[in-house]
Amino acid sequence: MNISPSGEDKFFVRGFQNRQKLMNHWRNGRTHSDEYPDFTMEQYEQRALELLEKATDEKIFGHADKNNYLIRYDREENDFAKGHPHKGIVTMFKPVDGENYYFRSLKGDMEHGGRK
């Protein structure tokens, strides 16, 4: 499996694993629909996919965890996304503490076999 922790990646599962997972994720838990009031559920899924497929730069931070899940953080939009090209999107949300959340995630992932 050739996954680039910081480069562009092509997702073969083009969203969440299935519609039910997307619906449950959108409406339950942190209520991501409240975090993205101008998005439909489908736009939320598309935004997460686009962010996860992007290469890192001065605006987009990113890495991979030990299980080859990609993590991307858009510092301008405060969007944190996680997903796997062959398993789909896991989540996207707006962390309360922004970049600090991303850097804690990075530190933890690097300590447990992640890659930059």
Side-chain angles (χ1 to χ4, degrees):
M1 188 175 328
N2 195 9
I3 294 173
S4 175
S6 60
E8 289 184 11
D9 284 282
K10 172 84 168 144
F11 269 56
F12 300 96
V13 176
R14 304 291 301 159
F16 282 79
Q17 282 186 337
N18 58 53
R19 185 153 178 83
Q20 187 62 46
K21 286 191 181 224
L22 169 60
M23 288 171 49
N24 289 344
H25 194 80
W26 181 243
R27 294 187 180 129
N28 297 333
R30 294 181 55 155
T31 58
H32 297 303
S33 58
D34 292 342
E35 292 178 308
Y36 298 90
D38 296 331
F39 283 15
T40 65
M41 183 172 63
E42 291 77 14
Q43 289 169 322
Y44 164 80
E45 182 178 44
Q46 184 61 36
R47 165 66 179 144
L49 180 62
E50 289 170 359
L51 179 56
L52 286 164
E53 289 185 324
K54 286 185 178 184
T56 61
D57 58 23
E58 65 280 345
K59 176 186 164 191
I60 307 294
F61 301 149
H63 66 278
D65 71 9
K66 69 178 180 179
N67 296 312
N68 287 318
Y69 280 85
L70 294 171
I71 292 87
R72 293 290 186 265
Y73 176 71
D74 182 330
R75 66 190 304 196
E76 290 180 359
E77 298 296 327
N78 190 36
D79 288 338
F80 180 96
K82 182 174 184 174
H84 190 286
H86 297 282
K87 298 176 184 178
I89 298 165
V90 173
T91 192
M92 182 177 75
F93 60 93
K94 294 186 177 293
V96 174
D97 57 347
E99 287 183 33
N100 290 329
Y101 182 90
Y102 171 76
F103 287 113
R104 280 195 312 277
S105 172
L106 172 64
K107 183 177 187 271
D109 287 337
M110 292 302 107
E111 289 173 356
H112 296 98
R115 299 176 293 131
K116 281 176 89 175

